[in-house]
Amino acid sequence: MTGMNDLDDLFAEARGQSAEPSPALLARVMADAGALQPQVRSMSRAPAARGFWAGIGAMFAGGGVMAGMGTAAAVAGLFLGFVQPAPVAALTEALGVTALETSYDFLPGIDPLIAEE
Amino acid sequence: MPRDMTTEIGDEALLVLYANGDRDAARALTLRLLPRVLGYAARLLADRTEAEDVAQEAMIRLWRIAPDWRQGEAKVTSWLYRVVTNLCTDRLRSRRRRATDALDAVAEPADGAPGAVAGLIEADRMAALQAALASLPERQRQAVVLRHIEGLTNPEIAEIMEIGVEAVESLTARGKRALAAALSGQRDALGYEESA
């Protein structure tokens, strides 16, 4: 019987022999790789899976728009606080508050500019 | 990616690069993996043309799975060896079926048949080994080739063949004994007559 040492020698010899693919096989495999390769992705990433809160935000036209609306509301409130619209002025007058008579002109006309010329 | 950098990159990273559209990664993976895939298939099938078809099919499956490859779960080579093992098993079964259907008198040597190497004409060591391997039962052949020719560890082989490590040890031990028996009387073909 062939000894185990002989067999190990044969295995070692077989390990040293690389199965060289033929140029035709290489070409076939590379052609498959090219045909099946996913297209190069652009910088825009695929949409991520939406979570629960992302879904809620989307129902209200998106977080960015909501943030913009919040800012606009805050600015409008500040503006109204300063200029005292007529109903608020009437109320303060009825209550006898006279300290808030100062008025600010946030929207000046162009008359001063015309007058300078 | 510069082509000369591909030799330093692991199989898994190359597969990710391929999935991201890198052509050099496809080439590097092919040059690195195809010889192993082809060699293993040729050992199992003892037929170069069929081995080439299996190797191509295994690589196609690799390209297809690339975008969904789960990193860190399995080695690319282990995954490929498993694919090749299964493809070869299918081919050998269909070959046996065809031989049975045709009642072919010169069918391939049956698994474990005594004197499987007796008809060997080529006095070539590798041909003798290949013929002896072909005489082994299929699972023994897979285990012996993976262990002693592909150089994998028993746990790796267990993963590829989807069996336990003890089963791998048993298969390789029985396979080696059967190989030694099949090669007995072939010392001339193996070139041992001078040294004996």
Side-chain angles (χ1 to χ4, degrees):
Chain A
M1 176 186 283
T2 303
M4 286 298 176
N5 286 341
D6 296 342
L7 201 51
D8 288 337
D9 288 346
L10 270 182
F11 286 144
E13 204 173 317
R15 267 198 301 276
Q17 288 190 339
S18 174
E20 287 303 319
S22 63
L25 177 62
L26 272 173
R28 270 155 56 196
V29 171
M30 282 305 295
D32 292 337
L36 295 169
Q37 187 163 32
Q39 295 298 309
V40 179
R41 290 173 188 163
S42 65
M43 291 301 285
S44 60
R45 305 172 84 183
R50 273 190 181 170
F52 174 76
W53 292 110
I56 295 292
M59 285 171 63
F60 293 97
V65 173
M66 290 181 77
M69 288 180 70
T71 307
V75 169
L78 188 67
F79 179 77
L80 291 175
F82 271 105
V83 300
Q84 288 201 34
V88 179
L91 179 63
T92 53
E93 196 175 325
L95 292 173
V97 180
T98 55
L100 296 172
E101 286 181 352
T102 311
S103 68
Y104 298 93
D105 190 1
F106 285 100
L107 301 170
I110 60 169
D111 292 349
L113 296 173
I114 295 170
E116 280 178 11
E117 292 177 0
Chain B
M1 176 183 55
R3 190 168 291 180
D4 57 355
M5 281 181 64
T6 55
T7 52
E8 302 161 9
I9 300 175
D11 296 340
E12 206 168 56
L14 280 174
L15 199 56
V16 172
L17 284 169
Y18 167 77
N20 284 316
D22 192 318
R23 290 283 296 171
D24 288 341
R27 183 169 184 79
L29 278 171
T30 301
L31 293 177
R32 189 183 296 181
L33 299 175
L34 187 57
R36 295 180 75 170
V37 168
L38 178 64
Y40 178 50
R43 295 276 176 215
L44 295 189
L45 294 169
D47 183 305
R48 175 80 184 195
T49 308
E50 275 199 286
E52 287 197 349
D53 289 346
V54 163
Q56 184 182 5
E57 176 60 28
M59 294 302 288
I60 284 175
R61 294 190 185 193
L62 182 67
W63 306 137
R64 286 212 170 111
I65 204 172
D68 304 316
W69 183 262
R70 295 180 182 182
Q71 292 186 61
E73 282 195 11
K75 282 171 72 175
V76 174
T77 46
S78 297
W79 184 89
L80 266 177
Y81 276 124
R82 189 190 300 173
V83 169
V84 172
T85 301
N86 293 337
L87 288 171
C88 288
T89 299
D90 291 346
R91 291 226 168 207
L92 289 170
R93 275 186 196 147
S94 108
R95 197 190 281 179
R96 274 195 294 269
R97 231 180 354 253
R98 281 200 306 274
T100 307
D101 290 349
L103 295 173
D104 192 345
V106 258
E108 62 157 345
D111 285 347
V117 193
L120 190 69
I121 298 168
E122 282 183 282
D124 177 77
R125 292 159 60 86
M126 286 301 101
L129 175 63
Q130 185 57 52
L133 281 170
S135 73
L136 294 183
E138 199 176 308
R139 300 291 275 174
Q140 283 184 25
R141 191 187 321 153
Q142 292 167 358
V144 166
V145 171
L146 287 170
R147 181 77 186 90
H148 295 291
I149 298 181
E150 299 300 321
L152 303 188
T153 63
N154 285 344
E156 283 176 316
I157 299 167
E159 186 191 333
I160 290 163
M161 295 182 69
E162 299 177 279
I163 53 177
V165 173
E166 293 81 7
V168 172
E169 288 167 356
S170 168
L171 281 171
T172 49
R174 282 186 287 141
K176 272 188 86 171
R177 280 198 300 273
L179 263 188
L183 288 165
S184 67
Q186 294 300 311
R187 298 186 70 83
D188 289 349
L190 297 172
Y192 290 126
E193 74 279 9
E194 295 90 356
S195 57

